Amino acid sequence: MRLVAVPDKIIPQGGHTLIIMADGETKHAVCVQCETSELANGGHDIGMIEHLASMKTERGERAYDGRVWISASELRRQ
């Protein structure tokens, strides 16, 4: 399943960024350990984050509350 960021649903939350992604009608909450300003300034490619979130979702790597977390170290590896 390919997750795609929902337009206007990139939300700063303290030291991380919440991105609402969709695979058709189903929505997923993806938390990225980076500031929203890093995303806005091109520090991290949203396409790469969508790819990481898609892979984690397919492998069932979700937190107890259903969110997918992408760590800062995962972003640096890409």
Side-chain angles (χ1 to χ4, degrees):
M1 112 184 60
R2 172 83 170 128
L3 295 179
V4 178
V6 176
D8 300 321
K9 295 297 179 187
I10 298 176
I11 307 155
Q13 292 289 320
H16 66 276
T17 302
L18 175 66
I19 303 173
I20 305 301
M21 294 191 180
D23 63 344
E25 293 296 315
T26 306
K27 304 289 189 285
H28 303 269
V30 178
C31 296
V32 182
Q33 288 182 327
C34 74
E35 298 290 336
T36 304
S37 61
E38 291 180 59
L39 293 173
N41 295 330
H44 302 295
D45 177 29
I46 193 71
M48 175 192 57
I49 293 170
E50 290 172 341
H51 175 73
L52 284 169
S54 296
M55 287 187 345
K56 286 182 154 228
T57 300
E58 288 174 4
R59 293 188 301 231
E61 295 179 32
R62 295 177 171 274
Y64 68 92
D65 60 1
R67 290 184 285 178
V68 173
W69 281 86
I70 298 175
S71 70
S73 63
E74 290 173 304
L75 291 174
R76 283 190 293 272
R77 280 187 251 147
Q78 299 300 316

